[in-house]
Amino acid sequence: MALKIVKGSIDRMFDKNLQDLVRGIRNHKEDEAKYISTCIDEIKQELKQDNIAVKANAVCKLTYLQMLGYDVSWAAFNIVEVMSSSKFTYKRIGYLAASQCFHENTDVIMLTTNQIRKDLSSPNQYDTGVALTGLSCFVTPDLARDLANDIMTLMSHTKPYIRKKAVLIMYKVFLKYPESLRPAFPRLKEKLEDPDPGVQSAAVNVICELARRNPKNYLSLAPLFFKLMTSSTNNWVLIKIIKLFGALTPLEPRLGKKLIEPLTNLIHSTSAMSLLYECVNTVIAGQYSCSVGRIKSHLLCVQKLRILIEDSDQNLKYLGLLAMSKILKTHPKSVQSHKDLILQCLDDKDESIRLRALDLLYGMVSKKNLMEIVKKLMIHVDKAEGTTYRDELLTKIIDICSQSNYQYITNFEWYISILVELTRLEGTRHGHLIASQMLDVAIRVKAIRVFAVAQMATLLDNAHLLTGNMQRNGICEVLYAAAWICGEFSEHLENPVQTLEAMLRPKVATLPGHIQAVYVQNAAKLFATILKNQEGNTDSTAAQETSQMMIDRLPLFVQSANLEVQERASCILQLVKYIQKLQQKDVEVAEEVSALFAGELNPVAPKAQKKVPVPEGLDLDAWINEPPSESESEDEQPKAIFTKEEPKHSRPRHTEVDEKELARRREARKQEQANNPFYIKASPSSQKVYQEAPGVEHIPVVQIDLSVPLKVPGLPMSDQYVKLEEERRQKERAEKKKKEKKKRKEKRSGRGKKHDSGPESEEDITPAHVVDIVTEEMPEVAQEDQNHLPSPYLCRVKICICMFCLCRPLADSEKLPVRSHRAAGAPKSPAEDGEAENATPQEPKKKSSKEKRDKKKDKERDRKVRLRCWKHLPPSGHKSDSRSTPSEGRTAARRQLRRCNLMTQCFTFLVFPFSRKVCDIQGNLQDGSQVVVSVIFENKSDSFLKSMEFNVLDSLNSKLQRPEGSGPHDGLTVPFQLPPGVSNEARFVFTVQSIVMPQKLKGTLTFIVKNEDSSTHEKLDFKLHFTCTSYLITTPCYSDAFAKLLESGDLKSSSVRLEGVNMPFHHLLARICFHHHFSVVERINSCASMYSRSIQGHHVCLLVKTTVSIDAKCDEPTLLGNVLDEIKQTFSQC
Amino acid sequence: MRFMLLFSRQGKLRLQKWYTATAERDKKKMVRELMQIVLARKPKMCSFLEWRDLKIVYKRYASLYFCCAIEEQDNELITLEVIHRFVELLDKYFGSVCELDIIFNFEKAYFILDEFLMGGEIQDTSKKSVLKAIEQADLLQEVSWASELT
């Protein structure tokens, strides 16, 4: 043996250790892969040896290689071997390797369960620690389930080192095995008050993370956390607590009020930026809910954020802006006053800060400052380096201006000139964005058309400036808009012939196809207008010259490789030729020609197509043709806002299009046209909107001196509008003042009303132009269908824990699994843990006797009594017990509970009108006709309660069992008294005749409230709800027995449909099992059979289908009907 | 915290710790992508960036980048503190740490990280107790080493 070890040690001396490996890799930079593959071969050899030291060394090297990106999954088993070494040195390496290399699908993880369990219970705390650390990385649902109980025990370990690790890993366990949360929670809660600060902060961490996922369950911890928050000085812990409160506040608005003070104190006092930032964030997020300190607190936040933004530290600046944008949503005004600061940030060296500032600006604009802000941004556009940032600026400018339907734009001439200025940007790829804005504004703002047309004509005239450079390809999209606007609104053109000439220049043929097509089409429109203008003249030569120009120039487009251009051009060419013939015969054609393009085009809402009902028999998803191959779909151009550009060189397959393919394309084109707001199409409703829109006459139009540089391209001119606008506003203000003065004069005799002529407010600014067409066209059908459901993709559910309430006691099924031999011997077995959990309400009894002595100290406060009831049935064999006094019945029921370990639950709620407290009953039923109801009395008041008497109004069916000799209406004395805050349990026995109907029993609790100086007699009414479900007991049933039962023919059937239930099928089943005490007999694909038995032996069988219908059979139809109703109700509540 | 990466200016990964189960392929992809983004950032830029649905907090110490991915609601500044604390711990343990220390003793670096963070949460806020735990574990390692040789 010794020899072997020595031999191993000697061998090892020749092996490479980690250092050698690293050094080797560094020395073989050129042929790293080759070197490593030889290393891996060596490692494989090493792993084959028996010596654990050699193996550990090999595994260590593998871990390094894994980090470099090499696959080491083949060595998983070796890693497990090293993990199970008894030597800490190797164990540590083994666990490290496992934590780096294992993941949920590593199959050897199954082998580790016992090893890990052994390590967890190791006497050496570092063994345990290493195992916990490793486990935190590779815990799987299986491991979590098997080890949850062991880890839970470790939470109470004597060493804080282990406790804190155990607490932290519990979080991972909860995520993987949510069922462990409830049993472990009480202990986790205890750890919040652990003497060791490390353990405490770990517990805070875990609860905070849990609460962020489902805050509701943790509201009850708020007081405890509040105490921690005000007492703790550890910033790490404070941040977590504040985060937790941030999650809780939306659920409990009162918390906000309570928190605001400590939070503002912290904001004032702390020197830690991280804590300050957290506080500010929480205050911002929670603001809507706390109204009292609100005004001050958000101002304080803005003030603090300003300090952050002004700081030289880039990080603080960034976060300050980030938080500022959150405040902006709720308090835009308070942020707007810091406009200067935010504009400054645009100059920052750091691009991410600039982008943040841009985001903020978007929300900060108002009618008043829009021009100023955009002016600043334009300056930045000019000096911005790097196209990405400049493009970002460009889109932001457009976003800012166009937001909420151009709400903040008062002068559209200014906006158009901004857009024109933007076209001069080098190499932007947002040409289409500018173009769509131009179109949108020109279409919607009628008053601007004259101006827009003039500008666009200039653009067309100088098109060579835009297209001259291939680099600026993106921007030529603007010409699309320019051509369309000039064509569509050609009646406003000053010199249409010149524009027409510009549109038909040979250079146009170099533009992308879809733009050329628009050029050709709009040249025709222009032509129509020119004809109309010239026809009145006596001299018809001008008109004929224009026709001649068209005929001369159009053939260039007829030869275009682009089909669209070709088609349009040849069509129009023929038309013009025909017109020319008519002109030569002196026929007046202008009317007819312009009729071709008559009618107003309105924007179509993007959703319009969706609203058009699909005709019957048309399946839009079905392929008309064979689906195209993958490669073909990749060829498709990214969607442009305009029509798709046809590839310049038609591919061979285009030549062999068959009839079907053509049909498909035609369909696609129709679709596209329908979606394209700019596509000219006949629409019966197109005229309507026009008539409804407010008249053009009412729009104030600013006189513009056109002699100023407007027509000179290449010079910025939007600035001039800023000045103009300023003047206009001043003028308006002056007029207003005049009017006000007049009014005041008129009203001099009346009460002096104060007119504030100070700084102008938002409302005072009247826009120079208004957007006329606000509504977009929608088909009349389905107009009323406006409420859009939120997209299902928006709500992503992260984890499924926390679906349940933490306050209710444990069910048997929820107890943590444990190996049976331990449960037998160990005193702290989980079964008993669970038992203790169940019995918690009973514990206070001992306490209450103690507190009874202190009763005199109690002071008078308001009284609230809370009742919680359990219903238990004594076993049939214990009838003598059940007939005896309630206290005896209780012990019997408890024994029963322990023996059968069978507990079913149901929830019902009792509403007490007196104290307005909701209470729950939970039932546990066994055979027989007797039911034990255990009631927990909890004194929520601050007074002492005594002489409690419990009485229930008997019904024919159910009777409260009273001691012999007492009358049928006598109450039962509750055998204890209740000091404030104490709860205790009493049990009462009921006899029930028939269980087929649910029933409610009315009852009264009388008691004496004793204060220091007085005592009063009080009464509390309540109802006990015995549901049919509570008479059912979960009973397992084998499928063959189940089949026989169904075949017997003794059962009556009934069925029910659950409406609006869309939960996963297994959840549905779990719910039925849980709430209604059924067990699943068999589950086959889309349906499951379930079984339960009543305390009187009725069989209840269900067949649940995924279509959420339930077919049920039972030998008692009334019972069945009621149970089904209750099931239905359960699902209607969720 | 979702994961922590340490990588050099040359784009060599020095340490990676994943606190949520991630497939090996995704890990590689994410690491590559992140390294590219972070390395491209200029020194004067702030330490935070938004990436996919995560927030990335990174800091450069000498030639090493420490990079953490946190969730939407997490606090960026405290994450910077975590990084700094980790660096301090390494520094204390190795005695003015340098990249080579971490390369050659990468398992030690992991041990320290594991003592400091567990499952992405801070385990102990006290530097002393983390170092103490590491020292004692090391001691234990040496003892078992020694006992094996004798």
Side-chain angles (χ1 to χ4, degrees):
Chain A
M1 188 66 199
L3 184 72
K4 208 175 173 190
I5 291 174
V6 170
K7 196 166 166 276
S9 309
I10 291 171
D11 278 348
R12 215 179 55 212
M13 276 154 54
F14 299 107
D15 290 341
K16 272 199 200 90
N17 64 10
L18 176 67
Q19 270 77 12
D20 298 330
L21 174 79
V22 175
R23 219 165 278 136
I25 293 174
R26 290 169 75 83
N27 289 336
H28 291 78
K29 284 219 167 88
E30 304 81 40
D31 51 348
E32 198 185 283
K34 199 177 147 204
Y35 178 75
I36 286 176
S37 73
T38 56
C39 284
I40 288 181
D41 287 342
E42 278 172 33
I43 289 170
K44 279 184 181 160
Q45 286 306 317
E46 286 167 33
L47 286 175
K48 279 182 193 151
Q49 292 190 33
D50 279 339
N51 191 327
I52 190 72
V54 177
K55 268 188 194 162
N57 184 42
V59 164
C60 188
K61 287 191 277 183
L62 278 180
T63 316
Y64 187 79
L65 294 179
Q66 190 268 346
M67 186 173 69
L68 295 184
Y70 292 89
D71 176 41
V72 299
S73 52
W74 49 271
F77 186 73
N78 301 105
I79 294 174
V80 176
E81 278 183 316
V82 176
M83 269 165 80
S84 42
S85 158
S86 57
K87 298 264 186 331
F88 177 70
T89 321
Y90 307 136
K91 191 183 285 302
R92 205 183 188 189
I93 289 171
Y95 271 104
L96 174 64
S99 67
Q100 292 300 109
C101 313
F102 285 5
H103 47 88
E104 283 203 4
N105 302 327
T106 309
D107 39 10
V108 294
I109 282 190
M110 288 185 305
L111 305 175
T112 60
T113 317
N114 280 316
Q115 179 58 39
I116 296 173
R117 183 175 280 135
K118 211 174 103 194
D119 289 335
L120 289 181
S121 53
S122 158
N124 179 354
Q125 61 165 331
Y126 293 104
D127 280 350
T128 316
V130 132
L132 283 173
T133 311
L135 194 56
S136 75
C137 294
F138 58 78
V139 61
T140 60
D142 286 341
L143 276 179
R145 192 191 57 233
D146 294 339
L147 295 172
N149 195 53
D150 302 71
I151 298 172
M152 209 166 100
T153 322
L154 288 180
M155 278 164 77
S156 319
H157 199 272
T158 48
K159 298 258 173 44
Y161 177 77
I162 299 299
R163 284 208 302 273
K164 91 188 162 200
K165 277 182 192 275
V167 168
L168 278 179
I169 202 178
M170 258 344 241
Y171 177 60
K172 292 278 165 185
V173 173
F174 294 152
L175 293 184
K176 298 287 177 193
Y177 178 57
E179 290 86 342
S180 62
L181 178 55
R182 288 195 53 227
F185 192 71
R187 201 168 288 180
L188 183 61
K189 203 169 128 187
E190 264 168 40
K191 295 298 143 206
L192 283 176
E193 291 173 301
D194 197 277
D196 183 82
V199 181
Q200 199 185 28
S201 88
V204 170
N205 267 341
V206 171
I207 293 187
C208 171
E209 289 305 311
L210 288 172
R212 263 161 53 173
R213 269 142 187 141
N214 178 28
K216 204 176 78 219
N217 282 341
Y218 305 91
L219 265 179
S220 60
L221 293 180
L224 187 58
F225 275 108
F226 196 78
K227 206 177 83 196
L228 278 177
M229 180 169 128
T230 40
S231 61
S232 177
T233 50
N234 184 337
N235 285 345
W236 306 76
V237 175
L238 273 176
I239 288 180
K240 282 283 176 186
I241 296 178
I242 290 169
K243 211 179 270 298
L244 173 89
F245 276 125
L248 294 184
T249 321
L251 294 174
E252 177 53 279
R254 280 176 299 180
L255 261 179
K257 256 183 222 167
K258 208 155 174 212
L259 281 173
I260 199 75
E261 199 197 319
L263 280 181
T264 41
N265 285 347
L266 276 176
I267 292 177
H268 276 300
S269 64
T270 184
S271 58
M273 281 302 175
S274 47
L275 182 58
L276 173 76
Y277 180 62
E278 194 62 48
C279 290
V280 167
N281 257 337
T282 308
V283 171
I284 298 167
Q287 226 160 26
Y288 50 91
S289 51
C290 53
S291 52
V292 180
R294 178 176 172 178
I295 296 147
K296 271 188 201 157
S297 67
H298 85 255
L299 280 179
L300 177 68
C301 288
V302 174
Q303 205 184 331
K304 284 283 171 184
L305 289 178
R306 187 177 171 108
I307 298 173
L308 287 191
I309 297 173
E310 280 171 340
D311 200 286
S312 59
D313 184 344
Q314 300 289 67
N315 293 335
L316 296 183
K317 214 185 259 280
Y318 177 87
L319 293 179
L321 289 171
L322 197 67
M324 210 58 134
S325 59
K326 286 180 196 153
I327 297 194
L328 187 70
K329 283 173 200 144
T330 49
H331 298 91
K333 285 251 167 67
S334 55
V335 180
Q336 268 163 10
S337 56
H338 299 282
K339 193 182 66 195
D340 55 319
L341 186 66
I342 289 151
L343 282 171
Q344 259 175 40
C345 290
L346 286 179
D347 294 322
D348 201 278
K349 301 176 287 284
D350 186 347
E351 194 175 297
S352 37
I353 288 179
R354 291 196 301 253
L355 292 178
R356 282 274 152 240
L358 269 182
D359 278 347
L360 257 178
L361 282 178
Y362 176 80
M364 282 172 60
V365 289
S366 62
K367 280 183 187 166
K368 204 163 50 174
N369 62 19
L370 174 74
M371 284 181 163
E372 186 194 341
I373 288 179
V374 172
K375 187 179 162 188
K376 286 258 168 63
L377 291 179
M378 291 298 283
I379 296 170
H380 281 281
V381 170
D382 281 342
K383 62 183 183 188
E385 39 194 80
T387 41
T388 24
Y389 177 59
R390 207 176 41 198
D391 279 356
E392 186 64 31
L393 270 171
L394 189 151
T395 40
K396 264 285 153 354
I397 290 176
I398 290 181
D399 279 354
I400 285 174
C401 293
S402 61
Q403 63 177 307
S404 34
N405 225 341
Y406 309 104
Q407 188 192 350
Y408 300 114
I409 295 184
T410 49
N411 188 328
F412 278 96
E413 286 171 11
W414 165 81
Y415 186 46
I416 292 273
S417 38
I418 287 283
L419 290 175
V420 173
E421 270 173 55
L422 287 176
T423 61
R424 283 193 287 274
L425 275 187
E426 290 274 348
T428 180
R429 40 186 188 87
H430 289 303
H432 63 94
L433 193 61
I434 302 174
S436 63
Q437 281 292 297
M438 287 173 168
L439 286 170
D440 201 38
V441 171
I443 292 168
R444 290 174 174 222
V445 187
K446 289 181 181 154
I448 202 63
R449 285 178 190 166
V450 183
F451 179 78
V453 164
Q455 289 290 308
M456 294 306 125
T458 323
L459 263 186
L460 286 180
D461 219 16
N462 299 288
H464 58 279
L465 291 178
L466 297 178
T467 53
N469 186 336
M470 278 315 276
Q471 282 272 300
R472 317 185 58 185
N473 225 347
I475 206 69
C476 62
E477 296 285 345
V478 171
L479 295 175
Y480 178 108
W484 191 87
I485 292 172
C486 284
E488 186 64 23
F489 308 118
S490 48
E491 68 270 22
H492 303 299
L493 268 178
E494 217 166 77
N495 192 345
V497 184
Q498 192 192 335
T499 311
L500 182 64
E501 194 271 333
M503 278 164 90
L504 295 172
R505 278 178 204 154
K507 188 109 200 207
V508 173
T510 60
L511 289 172
H514 67 279
I515 299 180
Q516 283 186 55
V518 171
Y519 263 70
V520 172
Q521 184 75 16
N522 286 286
K525 289 186 202 166
L526 256 179
F527 176 64
T529 317
I530 294 170
L531 280 188
K532 206 172 163 192
N533 291 347
Q534 291 172 341
E535 203 130 87
N537 298 352
T538 43
D539 183 17
S540 62
T541 48
Q544 286 185 22
E545 269 168 30
T546 322
S547 308
Q548 193 52 50
M549 181 171 77
M550 290 286 278
I551 290 165
D552 290 346
R553 300 278 181 89
L554 276 173
L556 177 69
F557 298 101
V558 176
Q559 292 157 12
S560 170
N562 188 303
L563 281 179
E564 180 83 7
V565 179
Q566 211 182 79
E567 192 180 359
R568 290 190 191 209
S570 56
C571 188
I572 290 164
L573 181 62
Q574 290 313 312
L575 184 73
V576 176
K577 277 184 181 160
Y578 181 66
I579 290 168
Q580 198 186 30
K581 265 186 208 157
L582 291 176
Q583 277 175 332
Q584 280 157 358
K585 290 179 195 157
D586 276 338
V587 183
E588 296 215 335
V589 285
E591 275 302 312
E592 277 95 12
V593 176
S594 35
L596 284 175
F597 308 108
E600 184 94 354
L601 287 173
N602 283 316
V604 177
K607 283 178 196 142
Q609 181 62 41
K610 275 191 213 144
K611 303 279 173 186
V612 179
V614 180
E616 240 176 273
L618 173 65
D619 182 5
L620 288 176
D621 295 326
W623 286 100
I624 294 174
N625 222 357
E626 281 299 294
S629 65
E630 277 302 300
S631 59
E632 200 171 352
S633 64
E634 273 165 23
D635 280 347
E636 268 175 38
Q637 298 256 328
K639 62 173 173 85
I641 53 153
F642 313 120
T643 53
K644 273 190 203 127
E645 191 180 345
E646 290 278 329
K648 285 230 168 82
H649 310 286
S650 52
R651 296 193 186 106
R653 67 160 178 273
H654 281 197
T655 54
E656 36 186 46
V657 282
D658 58 352
E659 203 52 40
K660 275 184 184 171
E661 173 67 9
L662 274 177
R664 191 182 70 81
R665 284 191 195 164
R666 211 171 293 136
E667 194 64 31
R669 194 163 60 219
K670 262 188 206 156
Q671 193 94 338
E672 204 174 83
Q673 287 165 0
N675 282 326
N676 188 343
F678 310 114
Y679 197 88
I680 303 159
K681 59 184 181 287
S683 155
S685 63
S686 62
Q687 293 286 342
K688 224 171 58 193
V689 181
Y690 178 55
Q691 282 149 9
E692 281 167 3
V696 189
E697 306 81 51
H698 305 300
I699 304 160
V701 182
V702 189
Q703 280 299 314
I704 301 157
D705 189 0
L706 283 177
S707 62
V708 234
L710 266 193
K711 291 217 161 186
V712 186
L715 273 180
M717 48 206 167
S718 59
D719 288 356
Q720 154 205 8
Y721 289 96
V722 182
K723 269 184 225 146
L724 271 176
E725 180 69 13
E726 226 14 77
E727 280 165 25
R728 183 181 72 90
R729 284 185 198 173
Q730 245 159 22
K731 222 162 114 192
E732 259 175 23
R733 238 174 293 162
E735 268 171 29
K736 223 178 205 174
K737 261 188 199 163
K738 256 189 222 162
K739 270 186 203 161
E740 275 171 19
K741 259 186 199 165
K742 259 188 204 164
K743 267 190 209 161
R744 239 178 278 173
K745 267 180 199 165
E746 286 159 10
K747 278 195 177 179
R748 224 186 321 186
S749 54
R751 279 149 274 150
K753 236 189 196 172
K754 265 190 190 171
H755 285 265
D756 192 17
S757 51
E760 64 176 337
S761 66
E762 268 301 271
E763 291 75 34
D764 289 343
I765 304 172
T766 52
H769 317 96
V770 288
V771 181
D772 308 77
I773 304 169
V774 180
T775 52
E776 288 167 324
E777 283 195 5
M778 287 286 255
E780 271 110 273
V781 268
Q783 198 76 299
E784 69 282 356
D785 176 35
Q786 291 293 339
N787 45 340
H788 301 284
L789 292 169
S791 155
Y793 305 107
L794 289 181
C795 22
R796 227 179 357 159
V797 180
K798 273 194 180 160
I799 321 172
C800 55
I801 37 164
C802 335
M803 290 294 289
F804 25 65
C805 169
L806 285 171
C807 331
R808 69 180 156 74
L810 286 177
D812 194 38
S813 57
E814 282 175 313
K815 282 169 198 158
L816 296 178
V818 74
R819 288 178 307 172
S820 49
H821 70 268
R822 282 191 70 190
K828 260 273 176 189
S829 83
E832 296 223 337
D833 273 3
E835 188 72 38
E837 175 70 16
N838 286 330
T840 33
Q842 296 158 4
E843 277 167 13
K845 182 153 196 198
K846 288 169 215 148
K847 236 199 224 159
S848 73
S849 59
K850 229 186 277 164
E851 279 173 45
K852 244 182 242 167
R853 277 168 245 143
D854 304 334
K855 60 184 175 185
K856 278 169 197 162
K857 289 174 195 161
D858 294 324
K859 291 176 184 156
E860 64 168 289
R861 286 148 215 169
D862 59 335
R863 22 188 143 72
K864 281 173 197 161
V865 179
R866 193 170 169 202
L867 283 134
R868 256 188 283 159
C869 321
W870 266 269
K871 282 187 284 178
H872 294 281
L873 259 186
S876 46
H878 284 70
K879 270 201 175 143
S880 59
D881 277 349
S882 54
R883 239 177 276 121
S884 57
T885 55
S887 58
E888 273 171 329
R890 174 187 150 202
T891 43
R894 214 160 135 196
R895 212 180 303 141
Q896 154 78 18
L897 214 155
R898 195 163 295 178
R899 225 184 43 163
C900 308
N901 232 348
L902 187 135
M903 183 158 163
T904 52
Q905 305 188 331
C906 78
F907 282 119
T908 22
F909 294 97
L910 290 180
V911 180
F912 288 81
F914 168 68
S915 59
R916 284 198 231 128
K917 268 283 157 192
V918 179
C919 303
D920 41 20
I921 303 180
Q922 308 192 339
N924 180 6
L925 301 173
Q926 270 304 105
D927 263 37
S929 60
Q930 274 154 343
V931 183
V932 174
V933 175
S934 63
V935 182
I936 293 186
F937 297 88
E938 189 181 348
N939 184 355
K940 297 204 95 179
S941 76
D942 298 318
S943 312
F944 197 88
L945 305 182
K946 61 177 203 177
S947 306
M948 286 187 279
E949 224 177 75
F950 179 89
N951 200 358
V952 173
L953 214 59
D954 287 351
S955 72
L956 277 176
N957 193 24
S958 328
K959 290 188 173 68
L960 174 64
Q961 286 205 346
R962 298 177 169 86
E964 274 178 35
S966 53
H969 303 298
D970 289 354
L972 288 179
T973 323
V974 180
F976 47 79
Q977 301 179 322
L978 281 181
V982 169
S983 61
N984 205 343
E985 182 194 36
R987 303 204 176 199
F988 305 96
V989 185
F990 286 81
T991 350
V992 184
Q993 299 283 315
S994 155
I995 58 157
V996 298
M997 298 277 278
Q999 50 191 328
K1000 282 180 186 156
L1001 291 186
K1002 276 188 186 166
T1004 332
L1005 183 75
T1006 53
F1007 51 94
I1008 292 173
V1009 182
K1010 195 165 185 297
N1011 292 324
E1012 221 163 36
D1013 40 6
S1014 69
S1015 60
T1016 49
H1017 210 86
E1018 292 289 2
K1019 197 178 101 175
L1020 196 63
D1021 290 320
F1022 60 86
K1023 273 184 198 161
L1024 286 175
H1025 194 177
F1026 292 70
T1027 56
C1028 282
T1029 292
S1030 58
Y1031 298 122
L1032 297 182
I1033 330 161
T1034 319
T1035 321
C1037 182
Y1038 292 110
S1039 51
D1040 43 354
F1042 187 77
K1044 258 184 208 154
L1045 191 64
L1046 287 181
E1047 278 164 17
S1048 66
D1050 298 337
L1051 308 180
K1052 319 271 182 312
S1053 68
S1054 166
S1055 68
V1056 69
R1057 258 194 82 79
L1058 303 174
E1059 297 296 347
V1061 177
N1062 47 1
M1063 59 177 73
F1065 190 54
H1066 61 277
H1067 284 187
L1068 184 98
L1069 295 183
R1071 231 170 232 262
I1072 295 177
C1073 287
F1074 179 72
H1075 290 288
H1076 299 283
H1077 314 161
F1078 279 87
S1079 60
V1080 178
V1081 179
E1082 210 172 5
R1083 190 183 156 182
I1084 308 152
N1085 296 332
S1086 60
C1087 55
S1089 45
M1090 305 178 94
Y1091 176 77
S1092 186
R1093 213 158 72 100
S1094 82
I1095 53 168
Q1096 290 180 356
H1098 305 288
H1099 304 283
V1100 190
C1101 310
L1102 299 183
L1103 185 69
V1104 187
K1105 293 174 190 154
T1106 36
T1107 51
V1108 283
S1109 66
I1110 299 177
D1111 293 327
K1113 283 191 171 175
C1114 176
D1115 35 15
E1116 179 52 65
T1118 331
L1119 176 69
L1120 182 64
N1122 287 319
V1123 168
L1124 287 182
D1125 280 349
E1126 278 163 29
I1127 292 179
K1128 210 170 169 180
Q1129 202 175 0
T1130 310
F1131 285 96
S1132 67
Q1133 277 161 1
C1134 56
Chain B
M1 191 185 292
R2 296 284 190 84
F3 57 86
M4 189 189 232
L5 302 176
L6 255 74
F7 49 86
S8 69
R9 216 163 35 144
Q10 289 79 33
K12 283 262 191 328
L13 195 60
R14 295 301 179 209
L15 213 71
Q16 55 170 339
K17 193 88 197 173
W18 298 77
Y19 295 111
T20 44
T22 319
E24 213 52 49
R25 241 183 73 205
D26 294 341
K27 276 188 194 172
K28 272 186 202 163
K29 200 174 152 214
M30 285 162 97
V31 168
R32 210 178 317 123
E33 206 174 306
L34 255 185
M35 267 202 241
Q36 223 166 37
I37 298 174
V38 171
L39 289 175
R41 284 174 71 92
K42 295 191 188 87
K44 280 285 168 64
M45 285 177 143
C46 70
S47 306
F48 316 121
L49 53 111
E50 280 168 16
W51 179 72
R52 302 196 183 176
D53 58 338
L54 296 174
K55 292 197 285 198
I56 304 296
V57 178
Y58 72 92
K59 194 157 166 83
R60 187 178 153 183
Y61 288 89
S63 58
L64 267 187
Y65 283 89
F66 290 69
C67 178
C68 293
I70 53 173
E71 277 161 49
E72 176 60 34
Q73 310 106 316
D74 286 330
N75 189 321
E76 292 97 332
L77 288 172
I78 208 75
T79 313
L80 268 186
E81 291 271 316
V82 168
I83 292 177
H84 188 69
R85 184 62 66 93
F86 180 47
V87 174
E88 280 179 339
L89 285 169
L90 289 173
D91 211 44
K92 276 259 171 62
Y93 184 83
F94 289 110
S96 77
V97 68
C98 69
E99 194 182 337
L100 284 179
D101 286 326
I102 295 176
I103 299 173
F104 282 109
N105 299 292
F106 88 111
E107 86 277 20
K108 298 274 185 216
Y110 274 124
F111 293 148
I112 296 172
L113 183 60
D114 285 342
E115 281 304 322
F116 177 46
L117 295 175
M118 191 160 131
E121 298 294 326
I122 300 155
Q123 210 176 116
D124 210 312
T125 54
S126 132
K127 259 184 282 182
K128 247 192 231 157
S129 66
V130 174
L131 283 174
K132 212 181 98 198
I134 284 287
E135 271 161 26
Q136 290 197 334
D138 280 355
L139 207 65
L140 194 68
Q141 177 166 347
E142 257 142 53
V143 169
S144 69
W145 194 272
S147 71
E148 187 203 327
L149 286 179
T150 50

